[in-house]
Amino acid sequence: MANRYQVPRGTQDLIGDQVSLWQQVENIIRETCALYGYSEIRTPIFEYTEVFKTENDSSDMVTKEMYTFEMGDSSFTLRPEGTKGVIRSFVEHKMYGNPGELPKKLFYMGPMFRHERPQKGRYRQFHQFGVEVIGAKSPLLDAEVIALGHDIVRRLGLNNVRILINSLGDEESRTAYRNALREYFRPYLDELCEDCHRRYEMNPLRILDCKIDKDKEFFKNAPSVKDYLNESSREYFEKVLQALDDLGIPYVIDDHLVRGLDYYSNTVFEAVPVDAAGQQAAVFAGGQYDGLVNYFGGGELPGIGFGMGLERMILLAEEQNSLKADSGNADVYVISLGNVATYGLKAAQKLREAGFKVDMDYQGRSLKAQFKASDRSGARAIVILGEDEYAEGKAQVKDTVNKTQITVSFDELTETVRKMTEGE
Ligand code: ATP
Ligand code: MG
């Protein structure tokens, strides 16, 4: 029988140094969001299935990859992405209520679930950080959202990520483009995969995103959306690009970049490592969307956002050695010898209260074993407590760098350790 006492395929335990890398990435993200005035929102990890399975979403994510389960009379789904739960919550709590407070700038971070084939950078439980700005439409906002993603990548020390950008235009432009795509692909229908037949009917833009068909010869000459943008869509896109130029954010226009969701309009973007082989490499991706807030009953409000895959960011950071795991070293190690009751623990607590990281022995091991443990702890200062010290209310303190050892009263312990660890 297969061993079930192991993590499910496509998931991972984060242990040891990995956790410290994750914490650093999460901290950088939170700090950056604060600088941009985005506040955190935490929605449930599962929702009613209807929240994700929206009528006009024909993406693989919704049609094939969702973890859905029945409980009682209801169907629930583990969230495969962040946007829809956030919009559902935005509407449920009437955050649109006070127009003076719009746009609402939100970010989320946490696990997402998709049943797809696991491979490098692709998991079944993975983690996304994402932002959603709801209730305003402006080229400046589009540029700011991209700048925020770019800033996080930069703060993580990654320098080989490229931003691809495109415009899908407004509804009028997209309708013209959809018609042109249907026209173009009609003679090739027999050569398109089964999913693309569905896409042909529902939203032919998504044919361009097909991982099976995209390298076929006739894709090269598919119509380009830029030829179908109306005047105002073109002007809008130019303003976004101008703002990015002004901010010094490099980008590449990618005519064939379309995004999964059928709600996307105007600006869409994706950040990929420069030497990316294959599509699983996108580290963050997003765009402007219309209609989603209205779908959940919140009226016609535009939105823009992106989702960032944290596993992929961390893989890149590891490849480029741009983050160092925190050593986890203690500042002080407390050694207790003989019959000294809770004297060691008391000393440790006193030092912890003063802000030192303290480790200690709990088992009355030999002096040699305790010194070995103190070595492993990486502590600069070692506090040694024997029966004499206990009786006299004293402590011996050893400096592992200068190799000095002094005896001080229990009351002087904190001050002594402070001087030692500050290198005085
Ligand atoms: P892909 O084309 O790689 O399947 P996607 O279009 O499905 O990506 P989005 O829905 O845009 O991805 O999600 C945003 C980001 O979340 C991606 O750019 C990626 O960094 C990350 N991501 C998506 N799916 C996974 C996964 N299965 N494992 C790890 N990260 C993922
Ligand atoms: Mg996908």
Side-chain angles (χ1 to χ4, degrees), residues 60-61 65 114 116 122 211 312:
D60 284 358
M61 184 188 81
E65 299 170 358
R114 297 187 194 178
E116 46 185 334
R122 191 177 290 286
K211 290 182 178 102
R312 292 185 195 178

Side-chain angles (χ1 to χ4, degrees), residues 114 116 121-123 126 128 211 259 279 282-283 307 309 312:
R114 297 187 194 178
E116 46 185 334
R122 191 177 290 286
Y123 302 88
F126 63 101
Q128 263 184 8
K211 290 182 178 102
R259 297 278 316 141
Q279 281 214 345
V283 289
R312 292 185 195 178

Side-chain angles (χ1 to χ4, degrees), residues 12 19 24 29 40 59 130 142 161 195 201 221 243 303 362 377 395 409:
Q12 51 182 349
V19 179
Q24 288 176 59
I29 287 173
E40 184 172 359
S59 63
D142 296 14
V161 174
D195 286 333
E201 298 301 333
N221 296 319
Y362 305 96
S377 79
S409 75

Side-chain angles (χ1 to χ4, degrees), residues 7-170:
V7 293
R9 208 161 110 74
T11 71
Q12 51 182 349
D13 292 322
L14 297 176
I15 56 174
D17 285 353
Q18 277 282 314
V19 179
S20 138
L21 293 185
W22 276 80
Q23 288 170 341
Q24 288 176 59
V25 170
E26 288 162 2
N27 288 342
I28 288 172
I29 287 173
R30 284 177 204 286
E31 283 161 21
T32 313
C33 282
L35 294 178
Y36 284 73
Y38 287 63
S39 48
E40 184 172 359
I41 179 167
R42 300 189 186 191
T43 61
I45 281 175
F46 65 93
E47 301 257 5
Y48 287 113
T49 299
E50 289 88 336
V51 170
F52 302 116
K53 206 171 188 151
T54 49
E55 274 157 25
N56 45 353
D57 192 335
S58 56
S59 63
D60 284 358
M61 184 188 81
V62 167
T63 55
K64 298 181 188 163
E65 299 170 358
M66 297 209 302
Y67 281 90
T68 296
F69 56 97
E70 313 290 324
M71 275 285 164
D73 301 336
S74 302
S75 170
F76 299 98
T77 294
L78 300 183
R79 64 182 186 194
E81 50 110 358
T83 304
K84 285 176 181 170
V86 169
I87 304 295
R88 193 265 315 133
S89 176
F90 174 87
V91 174
E92 184 168 345
H93 298 284
K94 299 189 170 50
M95 294 184 213
Y96 52 81
N98 188 348
E101 287 170 20
L102 295 179
K104 195 88 189 163
K105 304 201 288 183
L106 302 168
F107 82 89
Y108 58 85
M109 187 150 50
M112 307 289 164
F113 306 84
R114 297 187 194 178
H115 192 266
E116 46 185 334
R117 201 169 65 78
Q119 50 189 290
K120 191 178 176 205
R122 191 177 290 286
Y123 302 88
R124 290 179 170 171
Q125 172 172 337
F126 63 101
H127 298 76
Q128 263 184 8
F129 151 69
V131 303
E132 308 297 342
V133 183
I134 307 161
K137 187 183 282 195
S138 156
L140 293 184
L141 185 55
D142 296 14
E144 186 194 83
V145 166
I146 294 170
L148 170 56
H150 178 260
D151 216 359
I152 288 171
V153 168
R154 195 182 52 84
R155 280 164 200 259
L156 289 175
L158 306 175
N159 47 28
N160 64 344
V161 174
R162 171 181 292 161
I163 292 167
L164 309 177
I165 189 167
N166 195 18
S167 172
L168 304 179
D170 59 9

